Each structure stands twice: as C-alpha cells, then as structure tokens.
Amino acid sequence: MSAHKKKPVPLAVGRSTAQESSSHGSIQISDDSQSVTLSLVSGASAKVLLYGATVVSWKIQERELLWLSEASALDGSKAVRGGIPLVFPVFGPPPAGTAVEKLAQHGFARTSKWNLLGRVEEETEGDKGVRVDFGLSSDSLDDETKAKWPYEFGLIYSVTLRESTLETKMVVQNPGSAAFEFNVLFHTYLRIPDVSTIGVQGLNSLTYRDKTLGGTEHQESSDVIKIASQTDRVYKSAPDAITVLEDDKPLYTVTKTGLNDVVLWNPYSDGAEKIGDWEPKEGYKNMVCVEAGSVADWQTLEQESTWEGGVTHKAHL
C-alpha cells in the first residue's frame, strides 16, 4: 500500500489551549502554549517543547521510553538535559577558525524558540500516525546569534508518532546567496532498565573517534558493544540500522536516513558527577544515547539548496 498523506492543518496557537482530533489521534497545545502533546488512540504519546523543539517524552503503553534528568530545565532557560535535543549547526565545542567558532557548544537549535507550523495525519501500509511540524529560520534568531552565524537558513523539523515508533526528520534550507557548512545530530537519550544488561549492535568494524581518549581514532572489534565505563564515540559511516539489546533481545532499533554517523554516549558515574543538571546522579544506569547525525565531517549546503535527514526510533515491547 502506498503512503497516504493529508495536507498540513494549521494549529490554532493563538488560543491558550488548542486541540485537534481525528480517527488517528490528537494534538494538544498546552495551556501556556509552550509544548505540544501528540496522542494516538492506542495510548502512545509524545510531548515536544517549542523551546528547542525538544521531545521530552515518548510513551507506549504508559511506559516512558526517553530518559530525562530530574534536574533538567524545562522553562526555556537552558538546553534540556535528556529527551531528544537537536544539534545544529555545530556538534560539540566549535572549532577555532571555522564559521561556527563563536557559537555555543552544539549550536543554537536546541536553545531557540521554534514556531509551530501545523499537523498532518499519515498512514503508511496501514500504520496510522500523527505528525507535527516545527520551523526555525534566520529571521527567528536574535541579533547576537545572527552576528555569530550570519547565514540565511530555514529548518523544518517533523515529529511523527506511530503505534511503535517515533520518527524525527530535519529539513535544512539555504535560501541565501552563500553556501554554508553545518553539523546536525538527533541527540536521543533512550531509557533502559540497566546499563549493565544492554548492548549496542551494528557498529562492528567501523572506525570511531573516541572523545574520552583525546579524539584518537580506533576500529570497533565488538559485535555487541557493552558499556562499562564513560563512553563518548563518533562512529563514522555507520549502517542505517543500529539495535540496542537487552539480554541479547532487541529493545530499540534506531534507523537513520540521509545521515552518515552514529554517536554512542554514556557519561557513566565519573561523568555524571560533573554534570550539574544530571539527576539522579545514578541516572546513567538507566540511559544510553544512540545519536544519529552527520558530525564526523561538515555538510555543505549550496545556495538555494535543501538537505534532509531523519531517524526512526522503534521500541520492541
């Protein structure tokens, strides 16, 4: 069956509360107009803040599938610690001598207020879902950020909730007269029962940059990667599907499209102690970041061109 899509339906963000419902599910804007909740008739749900367009909750059968720090700021005062923060246009500390060198770590997408563009009903091979689109452009940035990164751009970020998956997609547009370079990353914090019982499969034989060892490069030799210490690796040219196993059974599958790399991160005990908004400190036992993106090298977007990439997170419950 071919994919069936309806045209975007604008959401009534001018009211203090807005709700759009259909046979697929519903989209509800919070009373303070600062978040959107997607719900399906099956009971699956997702919550997205307009600040950073950050997904802060994804539930199936009332089970929370994303890890969120109990000390994370959710009021727009700083980047959210947990959920799915968006990294653009730079990953990590900006390198000196580059066009992004004046920006904060991980760029401005995760700390900007996004616009709510509308909702869409989708059905693919009988799998019904609801989607919300968010937008951010150079016109949305404050003067200070524009001065640090003076390129014309447009971002469209889509979050689609289905019965067993959460899909996130980014479209980057360059309407300007000059090309620009960028990194992009979906910084997904997956909730897990216990870090000692999980493994990550699909990265064997790949070259990775180990940020805990000064950024040196190594070759992965494990079919199933176990996390027993602080882990911060960028796997280059990764396959499209990565699986998180619990006791050798699939727990999550992370499938990427149009993205080159995968970052595997867990701060472990020593790293969590140094992160001020990480609570509880033992929370590292219940999360693993499997982050799809294009960050090992810069992506170049020519004038009047468009780039897109996305991630599908599937839970095996």
Side-chain angles (χ1 to χ4, degrees):
M1 182 182 298
S2 61
H4 172 68
K5 297 184 179 182
K6 293 185 177 181
K7 294 181 179 180
V9 178
L11 287 166
V13 295
R15 302 197 301 268
S16 60
T17 303
Q19 181 168 353
E20 301 283 349
S21 300
S22 71
S23 60
H24 290 48
S26 67
I27 307 290
Q28 183 166 1
I29 301 172
S30 64
D31 290 343
D32 60 5
S33 298
Q34 299 305 307
S35 65
V36 182
T37 299
L38 300 80
S39 302
L40 298 181
V41 293
S42 65
S45 67
K47 182 178 179 180
V48 190
L49 303 182
L50 268 67
Y51 179 75
T54 307
V55 182
V56 293
S57 176
W58 172 33
K59 293 181 180 180
I60 297 177
Q61 300 171 4
E62 299 184 355
R63 176 176 170 178
E64 180 58 65
L65 303 173
L66 297 178
W67 186 86
L68 184 68
S69 170
E70 295 176 3
S72 183
L74 302 178
D75 59 359
S77 60
K78 62 181 298 186
V80 175
R81 174 68 65 186
I84 310 179
L86 297 175
V87 172
F88 178 91
V90 59
F91 172 60
T98 65
V100 297
E101 66 176 335
K102 296 179 181 179
L103 293 176
Q105 173 164 300
H106 292 336
F108 52 73
R110 65 179 188 151
T111 55
S112 295
K113 180 70 174 294
W114 290 61
N115 297 311
L116 192 55
L117 301 181
R119 67 181 291 274
V120 180
E121 297 177 11
E122 293 196 344
E123 184 174 347
T124 303
E125 298 181 351
D127 189 7
K128 297 180 179 179
V130 289
R131 188 184 95 208
V132 174
D133 295 336
F134 303 85
L136 183 71
S137 71
S138 42
D139 292 337
S140 307
L141 302 181
D142 57 43
D143 291 340
E144 181 181 355
T145 304
K146 287 181 182 179
K148 294 177 179 178
W149 202 69
Y151 296 99
E152 292 184 56
F153 73 93
L155 304 179
I156 300 175
Y157 179 54
S158 302
V159 177
T160 304
L161 176 69
R162 301 189 190 277
E163 188 170 345
S164 63
T165 64
L166 184 71
E167 302 169 12
T168 54
K169 186 178 80 169
M170 181 83 81
V171 176
V172 183
Q173 302 167 329
N174 180 1
S177 57
F180 59 77
E181 295 182 326
F182 67 94
N183 294 150
V184 64
L185 183 78
F186 300 80
H187 199 312
T188 307
Y189 291 71
L190 294 172
R191 179 174 286 275
I192 56 175
D194 192 315
V195 71
S196 67
T197 65
I198 67 105
V200 179
Q201 188 174 49
L203 300 170
N204 192 17
S205 78
L206 296 185
T207 298
Y208 66 88
R209 186 169 68 239
D210 195 326
K211 298 175 75 174
T212 70
L213 297 174
T216 53
E217 291 195 349
H218 307 265
Q219 186 173 31
E220 184 57 65
S221 58
S222 300
D223 181 55
V224 177
I225 302 167
K226 297 293 188 177
I227 297 176
S229 61
Q230 187 173 4
T231 302
D232 192 355
R233 302 174 179 177
V234 180
Y235 287 86
K236 300 180 179 181
S237 302
D240 289 340
I242 307 299
T243 304
V244 178
L245 305 172
E246 181 190 8
D247 294 327
D248 298 323
K249 296 180 180 179
L251 182 62
Y252 298 103
T253 301
V254 178
T255 304
K256 61 185 180 66
T257 303
L259 299 165
N260 298 330
D261 314 307
V262 167
V263 175
L264 182 61
W265 182 68
N266 184 300
Y268 224 71
S269 55
D270 47 346
E273 287 292 337
K274 299 175 183 178
I275 301 175
D277 58 356
W278 190 282
E279 290 292 344
K281 292 303 181 185
E282 292 191 348
Y284 72 89
K285 296 179 179 179
N286 302 119
M287 56 72 62
V288 62
C289 283
V290 180
E291 313 164 30
S294 288
V295 296
D297 297 300
W298 296 99
Q299 303 300 298
T300 300
L301 192 60
E302 300 294 338
Q303 61 190 70
E304 300 182 0
S305 297
T306 299
W307 174 97
E308 66 179 62
V311 188
T312 297
H313 311 85
K314 180 178 178 61
H316 302 276
L317 301 180

